[in-house]
């Protein structure tokens, strides 16, 4: 693990000086086969820091390929956070797909060029890139092309299901728990949920279950704004009215959204596509309420904080627009990724130095907990400040620590949990202690007068 993470703007210069001359010939729209070839070309060019794997299939049988970047591909290293970018969830919103293909090529090229900012990112982060969550919908939209693509043509999957309205609705359960002081994280999925979602959604949920993602962004199009949870309003819909729906981590989500917006060339200016968003960010429900969205599901079911990035007014921009869009988003893609290294992180052990998986990490004043992974490591995104942090697990005494978080790299805070004594252990301990008392006083003729034992204590059979 390398150290020395600094603020994104301090690191922006190397990227700002590179790639100023971008040839339009470097950019094109990628149909499915072209996208697969492009990903495997990156893997072939940088074989020691990349891995390609499939998380499942679309309705029409296309692989949902992920390209991973790491100094140890395929391996989770303790205290190294997992990050993901997801593009093309709506098949006709294609800029995210093309940006993530280009971003993959960029990471490979800059690593080979020994750009220290990119080298540090790849050595200290496990990065997962899913360029297309909806390859079937993309093919429908691409057949019409940029010039004739309709606003909704290809939006859904092959069954015309909107995948960003297809995740189990955990918001309603969360809003109920808020009133009853119930569980505030990793909410349970409904019965038979696997048969209630589309294959693409199922694949992504299984992906979330298999990797302890900490930070994520979902790339969309049709507006230019960084949208953060909750997407679903706590209040019933009223025509013409929107309601801000904050998470317990609202301040952190605003900071994450601003990180992308201000690193983007024009998102932060606010006026885009005929709409105005202050600082280029918005709470999802404050914009419009939606149910069963992916970013809310990430927050309520996993340790992952996800925002939705709306990146272009034109959902299917022409290839000639891609170079400008890449230059506008490149620094933002890197700066946002770097945010996974902020807050606190550490290990939770027992007294024998065995890692404790699924231990809960709670922060006083923020009613949303995270959990340790199977290796006992945890990551908690936090703003700079002083916090009281508690680690707890079933069968163990909780442990609490006070920590001050700075603006740079995550502070390491480890916890050692002591096992609770079971009733049987307590009984055995008492029996052992009374036995010692008996033998120490065996020369005493009147054993029942031992001041350490209850009156008429049955000494036989101890």
């Amino acid at each position: 693990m390398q150290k020395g993470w600094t603020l994104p703007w301090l690191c922006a210069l190397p990227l700002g000086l590179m790639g100023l001359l971008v040839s339009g010939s470097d950019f094109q729209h990628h149909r499915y086969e072209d996208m697969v070839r492009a990903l495997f070309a990156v893997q072939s060019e940088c074989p020691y820091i990349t891995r390609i794997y499939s998380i499942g299939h679309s309705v029409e049988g296309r692989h949902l390929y992920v390209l991973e970047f790491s100094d140890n591909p395929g391996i989770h290293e303790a205290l190294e956070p997992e990050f993901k970018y997801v593009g093309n969830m709506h098949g006709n919103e294609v800029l995210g797909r093309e940006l993530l293909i280009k971003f993959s090529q960029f990471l490979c090229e800059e690593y080979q060029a020994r750009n220290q900012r990119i080298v540090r990112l790849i050595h200290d982060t496990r990065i997962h890139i899913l360029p297309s969550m909806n390859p079937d919908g993309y093919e429908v939209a691409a057949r019409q092309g940029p010039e004739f693509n309709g606003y909704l043509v290809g939006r859904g999957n092959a069954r015309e299901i909107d995948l960003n309205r297809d995740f189990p609705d955990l918001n309603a359960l969360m809003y109920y728990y808020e009133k009853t002081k119930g569980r505030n994280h990793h909410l349970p999925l409904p019965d038979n949920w696997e048969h209630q979602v589309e294959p693409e959604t199922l694949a992504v949920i299984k992906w979330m279950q298999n990797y302890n993602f900490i930070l994520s962004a979902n790339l969309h199009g049709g507006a230019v704004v960084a949208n953060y949870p909750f997407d679903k309003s706590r209040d019933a819909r009223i025509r013409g009215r929107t309601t801000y729906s904050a998470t317990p981590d609202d301040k952190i989500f605003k900071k994450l959204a601003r990180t992308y917006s201000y690193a983007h060339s024009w998102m932060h200016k606010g006026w885009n596509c005929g709409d105005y968003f202050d600082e280029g960010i918005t709470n999802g429900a404050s914009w419009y309420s939606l149910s069963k969205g992916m970013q809310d599901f990430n927050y309520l079911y996993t340790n992952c904080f996800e925002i939705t990035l709306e990146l272009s007014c034109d959902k299917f921009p022409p290839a000639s627009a891609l170079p400008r869009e890449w230059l506008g988003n490149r620094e933002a893609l890197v700066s946002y990724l770097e945010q996974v290294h902020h807050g606190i992180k550490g290990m939770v052990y027992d007294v024998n130095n065995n890692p404790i998986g699924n231990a809960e990490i709670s922060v006083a004043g923020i009613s949303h907990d995270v959990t340790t992974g199977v290796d006992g490591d945890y990551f908690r995104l936090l703003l700079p400040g002083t916090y009281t942090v508690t680690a707890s697990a079933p069968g163990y005494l909780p442990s609490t620590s006070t920590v001050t978080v700075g603006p740079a790299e995550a502070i390491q805070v480890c916890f050692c949990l002591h096992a609770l004594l079971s009733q049987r252990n307590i009984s055995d301990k008492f029996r052992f202690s009374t036995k010692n008392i008996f033998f120490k006083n065996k020369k005493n003729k009147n054993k029942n007068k031992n001041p350490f034992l209850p009156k008429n204590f049955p000494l036989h059979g101890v």
Side-chain angles (χ1 to χ4, degrees):
M1 293 271 180
Q2 296 191 20
K3 294 186 178 180
W5 284 94
T6 54
L7 291 172
W9 64 270
L10 292 175
C11 299
L13 186 59
L15 296 185
L17 293 177
M18 302 173 68
L20 292 179
L21 298 177
V22 181
S23 170
S25 63
D26 294 336
F27 293 85
Q28 66 182 68
H29 286 294
H30 292 76
R31 299 290 287 262
Y32 178 74
E33 292 79 8
D34 299 327
M35 179 188 72
V36 173
R37 278 193 290 267
L39 296 180
F40 276 89
V42 173
Q43 202 279 326
S44 177
E45 185 68 22
C46 290
Y48 300 110
I49 59 166
T50 59
R51 176 178 72 109
I52 291 179
Y53 63 97
S54 173
I55 61 172
H57 297 84
S58 66
V59 170
E60 295 180 343
R62 294 180 175 92
H63 277 284
L64 303 179
Y65 281 120
V66 175
L67 179 61
E68 174 192 339
F69 283 86
S70 170
D71 57 341
N72 288 291
I75 300 172
H76 173 75
E77 299 175 72
L79 297 177
E80 184 171 292
E82 310 267 356
F83 176 96
K84 62 181 166 72
Y85 272 132
V86 178
N88 201 207
M89 184 181 199
H90 290 145
N92 65 333
E93 296 173 12
V94 306
L95 179 58
R97 174 190 180 110
E98 301 307 331
L99 289 177
L100 292 182
I101 293 171
K102 184 62 179 176
F103 187 59
S104 301
Q105 297 167 344
F106 171 80
L107 290 177
C108 175
E109 293 166 0
E110 294 303 302
Y111 186 89
Q112 291 179 324
R114 308 309 294 168
N115 180 323
Q116 287 305 298
R117 186 182 182 193
I118 301 305
V119 169
R120 186 165 59 247
L121 263 179
I122 291 174
H123 283 188
D124 292 356
T125 324
R126 196 173 177 203
I127 305 164
H128 305 256
I129 298 174
L130 173 62
S132 181
M133 181 179 167
N134 185 5
D136 296 353
Y138 176 87
E139 294 302 309
V140 173
R143 282 194 286 270
Q144 290 192 326
E147 296 82 7
F148 305 103
N149 183 251
Y151 196 76
L152 296 176
V153 175
R155 176 182 175 89
N157 68 352
R159 295 174 181 155
E160 299 187 0
I161 300 297
D162 187 333
L163 298 179
N164 205 31
R165 311 292 192 279
D166 191 49
F167 285 78
D169 185 2
L170 300 182
N171 292 76
L173 183 60
M174 174 63 183
Y175 297 159
Y176 171 76
Y177 281 164
E178 283 181 336
K179 299 175 182 178
T180 61
K181 296 183 178 180
R183 191 173 181 83
N184 62 22
H185 65 96
H186 293 79
L187 303 186
L189 297 179
D191 294 339
N192 207 32
W193 69 270
E194 295 184 14
H195 300 286
Q196 300 172 15
V197 300
E198 293 299 297
E200 297 90 348
T201 309
L202 175 63
V204 168
I205 293 176
K206 294 289 187 181
W207 189 32
M208 294 177 188
Q209 292 173 336
N210 290 329
Y211 294 86
N212 184 22
F213 293 115
I214 306 304
L215 183 62
S216 172
N218 178 19
L219 281 57
H220 285 244
V224 178
V225 65
N227 172 1
Y228 55 92
F230 284 123
D231 264 334
K232 182 175 181 178
S233 174
R234 286 178 169 82
D235 303 320
R237 286 187 188 179
I238 299 176
R239 184 181 296 274
R241 173 184 151 190
T242 58
T243 306
Y244 195 111
S245 190
T247 70
D249 286 289
D250 188 58
K251 292 180 180 178
I252 302 170
F253 274 116
K254 284 182 180 178
K255 191 250 187 178
L256 292 170
R258 287 192 190 102
T259 296
Y260 199 95
S261 177
Y262 277 94
H264 189 280
S265 294
W266 56 86
M267 184 182 287
H268 61 279
K269 296 179 180 180
W271 283 108
N272 292 290
C273 316
D275 294 320
Y276 178 75
F277 296 98
D278 189 28
E279 297 186 285
I281 68 173
T282 185
N283 171 258
S286 182
W287 186 13
Y288 62 90
S289 179
L290 69 87
S291 297
K292 302 183 178 183
M294 186 163 71
Q295 71 176 12
D296 287 7
F297 182 84
N298 269 270
Y299 184 70
L300 295 175
Y301 184 62
T302 77
N303 289 321
C304 191
F305 287 37
E306 180 174 281
I307 67 173
T308 300
L309 299 170
E310 303 281 352
L311 297 178
S312 60
C313 303
D314 190 345
K315 291 190 173 190
F316 206 130
S320 60
L322 297 180
R324 176 178 181 268
E325 294 289 355
W326 165 244
L327 291 177
N329 283 275
R330 182 186 57 196
E331 171 59 30
L333 289 167
V334 177
S335 294
Y336 183 78
L337 202 165
E338 289 172 329
Q339 298 307 300
V340 77
H341 291 282
H342 291 216
I344 60 173
K345 65 180 180 180
M347 303 291 299
V348 179
Y349 297 105
D350 65 17
V351 292
N352 296 315
N353 286 327
N354 297 312
I356 302 175
N358 207 36
E360 295 183 358
I361 307 298
S362 60
V363 179
I366 303 177
S367 59
H368 183 80
D369 301 343
V370 299
T371 59
T372 56
V374 294
D375 297 317
D377 56 345
Y378 75 91
F379 307 83
R380 193 16 164 133
L381 300 179
L382 292 169
L383 296 176
T386 300
Y387 300 91
T388 300
V389 183
T390 299
S392 60
Y396 294 89
L397 291 169
S399 177
T400 299
S401 181
T402 300
V403 58
T404 298
V405 175
E409 71 269 19
I411 304 299
Q412 288 198 31
V413 184
C414 295
F415 295 91
C416 179
L417 302 187
H418 294 257
L420 285 167
L421 289 174
S422 67
Q423 191 63 39
R424 180 173 180 177
N425 287 338
I426 295 172
S427 175
D428 290 344
K429 206 165 189 179
F430 179 73
R431 285 160 57 86
F432 178 75
S433 64
T434 56
K435 184 176 181 181
N436 285 343
I437 292 170
F438 169 73
F439 283 115
K440 284 181 181 179
N441 295 277
K442 63 182 179 179
K443 293 183 180 180
N444 188 339
K445 293 182 180 179
N446 190 352
K447 300 180 181 64
N448 280 343
K449 291 185 179 180
N450 190 317
F452 296 98
L453 297 178
K455 186 177 180 180
N456 298 322
F457 187 85
L459 293 175
H460 60 279
V462 174

